[in-house]
Amino acid sequence: MNGRYIVYGSPGSGSVPVEAALTLIGAPYEVIGETVLRDVARNPAVFKVNPLGQVPALIIPGGEVMTESAAILIWLADRYADAALAPPPADARRPAFLRWMVYVSSAIYGLARWR
Ligand SMILES: N[C@@H](CCC(=O)N[C@@H](CS)C(=O)NCC(=O)O)C(=O)O
């Protein structure tokens, strides 16, 4: 896949792991976003790509939008298997990887209050 990824984010937010993954993969990306997290939900550009007004959002080269941190990180790990960011699907460690990846974004994320 050629082209540049676009990450909608903000420093210290859930976009950081997405940026870290893209950096480890070596994929080119640019970040669009607010320097202050509370301004994310006021940014019409964010709502254009995510009706929930949340980051991270990832624009894949080709134009498809992905949201939801776990989905993005799992997809990147699978798409760029050579980067070894996650155990491959048949690996014995895969269930634990998926368990904790989904747990963090579904149970831990919601504990933070952003507004
Ligand atoms: N379920 C989403 C949650 C995303 C989320 O809560 N993002 C926060 C920043 S880390 C956000 O955009 N907050 C802005 C707001 O809700 O005003 C995910 O896992 O990506």
Side-chain angles (χ1 to χ4, degrees), residues 19-43:
E19 292 173 50
L22 288 167
T23 300
L24 289 169
I25 288 164
Y29 68 93
E30 67 181 282
V31 180
I32 295 177
E34 303 289 349
T35 51
V36 179
L37 189 53
R38 67 174 177 275
D39 291 338
V40 161
R42 301 186 188 110
N43 185 342

Side-chain angles (χ1 to χ4, degrees), residues 20-103:
L22 288 167
T23 300
L24 289 169
I25 288 164
Y29 68 93
E30 67 181 282
V31 180
I32 295 177
E34 303 289 349
T35 51
V36 179
L37 189 53
R38 67 174 177 275
D39 291 338
V40 161
R42 301 186 188 110
N43 185 342
V46 173
F47 278 94
K48 257 191 186 167
V49 296
N50 184 356
L52 295 176
Q54 294 179 331
V55 295
L58 179 70
I59 315 295
I60 296 170
E64 185 164 348
V65 178
M66 281 195 82
T67 61
E68 296 304 318
S69 304
I72 293 169
L73 293 170
I74 293 167
W75 182 78
L76 284 172
D78 288 350
R79 170 66 184 78
Y80 298 97
D82 287 353
L85 297 181
D91 193 291
R93 297 164 298 171
R94 184 73 172 187
F97 162 71
L98 291 173
R99 175 187 177 197
W100 290 107
M101 179 62 79
V102 173
Y103 176 75

